[in-house]
Amino acid sequence: MLRLSRELIETNERMAEDATQNPETEIAEMRAARQSTLRATAPGMEDHLYKIHAVLDHGFVRVVDYMGDDAAITQAARVSYGKGTKSVSNDEGLIRYLMRHSHSTPFEMCEIKLHVKLPVFVARQWIRHRTANVNEYSARYSILDREFYIPSPGDLAAQSTVNSQGRGEALAGEEAARVLEFLKTDSMLCYDHYEQMISQDGQMGLARELARMNLPANVYTQWYWKTDLHNLFHFLRLRADAHAQYEIRVYAEEICKLVADWVPFAYRAFKDYRLGGATLSASALDCIRRMLAGEVVTQEASGMSKGEWREFEGLIR
């Protein structure tokens, strides 16, 4: 009986390992299992369910589940505002009104759950958006794969001289090759030592929760990330911006494509008012009024700091 139980455990472990190593098989099975439902569905999102959308060299984003659509947003708004929405003639118009006037709760009626594979240093940026439910792959009891993010040569750049958080000129030639070699060699060496520490060949291996401290920040992790549409838009506004770090921006851009198919009205409003729009301070708005009146306005006369003025000029030019 004990032997049979052990064989069953080993079989289950192999099946779990196969599912991890062969996500295409798992995804095909999930997509083949059709379910009937009375709840609202979004055709565009149904097409994306479970599919892997590749990001970076080993990463991906895939939709595990979602709730709501554009109609869920307008339904919630009309319950809340009642007669106040009668002047809005259609759903898209109402959604644009809600976005324009920063009404957040109707957008919270929609939720999405994503399975994301990403480098640890990207995950540490991502997790700063705390308005989400997260469950990450645990290296305390599981062994991380030998997968590391190695930038392409064109994505290697020197430190910016004007922005302490940004990149400057791209590295080239021997310098770029030297940096890439460091990244590859150090990553593999750290993983070699990680494997040796957890190995139980001839001895009791080091606890996985301790051995993981030796892995570099470019090793890949995975998590399930669930959030509502309002907070997702906030994430995308910051991380899909041109000034965001490239490695997290490409994830945000991929998610933007999914959201555009899920809630097209809401995404168009978000793209217009948030992603492609700008918020002006009282000083900046005053400067625009003066400029429209024909006045030549300088930074010294604007009431703005040099940094504010530089950003203001970037918006209007």
Side-chain angles (χ1 to χ4, degrees):
M1 180 67 72
L2 181 61
R3 181 181 176 186
L4 288 175
S5 298
R6 182 60 191 166
E7 288 177 351
L8 181 60
I9 291 172
E10 290 176 350
T11 300
N12 288 337
E13 287 177 346
R14 282 197 302 273
M15 290 174 65
E17 183 179 357
D18 289 342
T20 303
Q21 294 177 350
N22 299 289
E24 293 83 1
T25 301
E26 181 187 10
I27 291 167
E29 291 174 353
M30 294 173 76
R31 289 183 61 82
R34 297 290 177 177
Q35 312 250 354
S36 61
T37 179
L38 294 176
R39 70 183 182 91
T41 59
M45 190 57 98
E46 289 290 310
D47 189 52
H48 288 300
L49 268 177
Y50 312 126
K51 284 184 180 178
I52 281 180
H53 298 269
V55 184
L56 296 180
D57 48 359
H58 300 292
F60 63 72
V61 173
R62 67 168 178 147
V63 181
V64 177
D65 200 2
Y66 72 97
M67 180 182 77
D69 56 5
D70 278 324
I73 300 169
T74 57
Q75 179 190 48
R78 289 183 173 118
V79 167
S80 176
Y81 301 134
K83 294 181 179 179
T85 63
K86 285 192 174 180
S87 61
V88 181
S89 60
N90 57 69
D91 283 358
E92 184 167 15
L94 174 54
I95 286 173
R96 290 181 65 83
Y97 173 89
L98 296 170
M99 183 69 68
R100 189 164 62 248
H101 293 277
S102 300
H103 293 290
S104 60
T105 50
F107 296 100
E108 294 173 3
M109 298 298 110
C110 295
E111 293 193 353
I112 188 170
K113 180 163 63 176
L114 299 173
H115 178 193
V116 187
K117 183 177 180 182
L118 68 173
V120 164
F121 74 92
V122 176
R124 297 304 159 253
Q125 278 190 315
W126 196 312
I127 203 66
R128 290 179 61 83
H129 298 267
R130 299 182 296 275
T131 48
N133 305 110
V134 185
N135 197 49
E136 186 174 2
Y137 184 94
S138 175
R140 292 189 66 194
Y141 58 84
S142 298
I143 300 174
L144 291 172
D145 294 328
R146 187 189 284 265
E147 290 183 326
F148 307 94
Y149 169 63
I150 305 297
S152 63
D155 293 322
L156 292 175
Q159 177 63 43
S160 171
T161 57
V162 296
N163 182 356
S164 60
Q165 291 187 339
R167 304 179 188 185
E169 295 295 323
L171 301 182
E174 293 182 2
E175 182 67 9
R178 187 167 69 95
V179 171
L180 283 174
E181 186 59 29
F182 283 160
L183 291 172
K184 294 174 183 177
T185 302
D186 291 353
S187 297
M188 292 302 176
L189 180 61
C190 286
Y191 196 89
D192 287 342
H193 290 165
Y194 169 70
E195 280 191 323
Q196 291 171 32
M197 285 189 287
I198 63 177
S199 173
Q200 296 187 7
D201 291 341
Q203 62 177 347
M204 181 62 69
L206 182 68
R208 293 169 185 173
E209 67 178 20
L210 291 173
R212 62 179 173 168
M213 75 174 81
N214 195 51
L215 292 170
N218 65 333
V219 70
Y220 272 86
T221 185
Q222 299 182 41
W223 64 28
Y224 273 28
W225 190 73
K226 182 175 73 69
T227 190
D228 63 66
L229 185 59
H230 166 64
N231 286 296
L232 178 59
F233 278 153
H234 180 68
F235 170 84
L236 295 176
R237 183 178 67 83
L238 294 175
R239 301 305 182 179
D241 184 85
H243 299 94
Q245 181 174 344
Y246 167 77
E247 284 78 13
I248 196 169
R249 189 173 74 244
V250 290
Y251 281 92
E253 290 171 347
E254 195 63 38
I255 295 171
C256 279
K257 298 174 187 175
L258 301 175
V259 177
D261 287 341
W262 173 28
V263 282
F265 291 170
Y267 182 76
R268 282 200 291 268
F270 162 73
K271 188 176 180 182
D272 194 14
Y273 292 116
R274 299 284 184 272
L275 204 56
T279 301
L280 296 176
S281 67
S283 298
L285 195 57
D286 178 64
C287 287
I288 289 177
R289 292 191 182 107
R290 289 157 62 187
M291 290 173 176
L292 289 173
E295 183 180 344
V296 176
V297 182
T298 63
Q299 183 264 314
E300 293 76 12
S302 69
M304 290 186 270
S305 68
K306 290 183 179 179
E308 289 174 317
W309 181 256
R310 183 170 59 248
E311 293 173 3
F312 173 68
E313 285 191 311
L315 286 174
I316 64 176
R317 291 184 177 178

